[in-house]
Amino acid sequence: MRIDVLSLFPNMFTGVLNESILKRAKEIGKVEYNVINFREYANNKHNTVDDYPYGGGAGMVLKPEPIFNAVESIKAKTSSKPRVILLCPQGEQYTQKKAEELAKEEHLVFICGHYEGYDERIRMHLVTDEISIGDYVLTGGELGAMVIIDSVVRLLPGVLGNEDSPVLDSFSTGLLEHPQYTRPAEFRGMKVPDVLLSGNHQLIEEWRRKQSLKRTLERRPDLLHHYPLSDQDKKWLEEIKAKKHDSNL
């Protein structure tokens, strides 16, 4: 996969792309990163990338020329047809499903904005996706781009040591992940559940499934509204709800 990032602050990405899983993915040849300062593509002597909005108003707006020029330059150097992603609070809410979709692409281009917003022609005629990582406002799109890149790159085949890891993550299955434990079996009087020490894999899988359902019900019940529950899932959920009701009496 090739990932190009257009940013006015490219140094923000230096640490993130050169540590942990993102660094490993680059080293084993699964991804190539290119962080580009789109100020270099401005077509005026002062390299200006923003201007006052027509009609008046607060703040400055990113001009179309530098961003169009930068994206067109990227496209001219590759035969792939990239997904061009605009980081924007008006975009669709980012989800694990979207991460899985983007992980199948060969080439992603991220546009990180600043100031009051983008010239609308960028949104209408250049980008393929508008994405928001949450209902809050950041200083710029860099942090959002980092979040998306991290969530996508870890899904590329061979990046994580255990191929089952991304499949079993919270949200990948549609439910929150079950509790995890490791050694020691007892720590400061707190014990690992006996079933996990039993060696009975069927019981362990049942326990994990029940715990996943329980945690989802307690923390993100909205995820259950459209999740395809099996008959056994429904039975376990009823048991969980009954125990919760009894404990509240």
Side-chain angles (χ1 to χ4, degrees):
M1 173 182 281
R2 172 176 169 172
I3 295 178
D4 291 288
V5 181
L6 303 185
S7 169
L8 294 174
F9 302 95
N11 289 339
M12 290 180 67
F13 291 85
T14 302
V16 172
L17 300 181
N18 289 283
E19 296 289 347
S20 188
I21 294 299
L22 297 184
K23 178 182 179 182
R24 168 183 163 80
K26 178 176 64 174
E27 290 177 338
I28 63 176
K30 296 296 181 179
V31 64
E32 172 191 350
Y33 306 116
N34 300 288
V35 184
I36 302 157
N37 189 337
F38 62 83
R39 190 180 296 279
E40 298 172 3
Y41 289 86
N43 57 2
N44 57 80
K45 65 179 181 179
H46 298 296
N47 291 331
T48 304
V49 297
D50 62 317
D51 208 336
Y52 295 102
Y54 280 121
M60 304 290 278
V61 175
L62 284 172
K63 294 164 62 66
E65 304 100 307
I67 295 178
F68 268 82
N69 291 343
V71 172
E72 288 167 356
S73 176
I74 290 169
K75 290 181 176 180
K77 298 173 184 176
T78 178
S79 59
S80 62
K81 187 176 181 181
R83 294 276 287 269
V84 181
I85 299 165
L86 192 72
L87 279 302
C88 174
Q90 300 176 31
E92 68 173 288
Q93 192 93 355
Y94 192 58
T95 63
Q96 184 66 21
K97 183 178 180 181
K98 190 70 173 183
E100 293 166 359
E101 175 189 328
L102 295 177
K104 298 174 183 176
E105 297 290 334
E106 294 182 15
H107 190 182
L108 302 176
V109 177
F110 292 89
I111 302 174
C112 305
H114 271 265
Y115 312 116
E116 186 65 22
Y118 305 93
D119 184 290
E120 187 69 12
R121 288 164 289 191
I122 297 170
R123 192 190 310 275
M124 294 179 64
H125 300 291
L126 190 62
V127 306
T128 59
D129 302 81
E130 295 182 49
I131 296 178
S132 167
I133 63 167
D135 292 337
Y136 45 86
V137 179
L138 299 171
T139 303
E142 283 78 10
L143 293 176
M146 293 175 197
V147 167
I148 297 172
I149 290 169
D150 184 280
S151 65
V152 168
V153 169
R154 67 188 301 278
L155 295 175
L156 300 179
V159 169
L160 297 181
N162 186 335
E163 293 301 314
D164 289 336
S165 292
V167 177
L168 300 176
D169 284 339
S170 292
F171 304 111
S172 290
T173 63
L175 302 174
L176 298 186
E177 190 176 17
H178 55 77
Q180 299 274 19
Y181 295 88
T182 189
R183 290 180 287 184
E186 182 174 347
F187 173 68
R188 297 183 180 179
M190 298 175 284
K191 297 182 179 181
V192 172
D194 291 337
V195 64
L196 298 179
L197 308 176
S198 69
N200 188 321
H201 295 294
Q202 181 177 345
L203 289 180
I204 291 172
E205 289 306 311
E206 288 182 1
W207 180 88
R208 286 176 170 169
R209 184 66 174 181
K210 289 177 184 177
Q211 291 297 314
S212 181
L213 290 165
K214 180 174 182 289
R215 181 155 288 186
T216 305
L217 178 65
E218 292 173 345
R219 302 185 181 189
R220 288 294 304 277
D222 56 296
L223 296 177
L224 296 171
H225 294 165
H226 303 291
Y227 185 79
L229 296 167
S230 67
D231 290 339
Q232 184 62 67
D233 289 335
K234 294 175 183 177
K235 181 179 178 181
W236 283 334
L237 271 174
E238 289 304 315
E239 292 174 0
I240 293 166
K241 291 176 182 178
K243 288 181 180 179
K244 182 180 180 181
H245 175 75
D246 292 341
S247 66
N248 290 332
L249 293 179

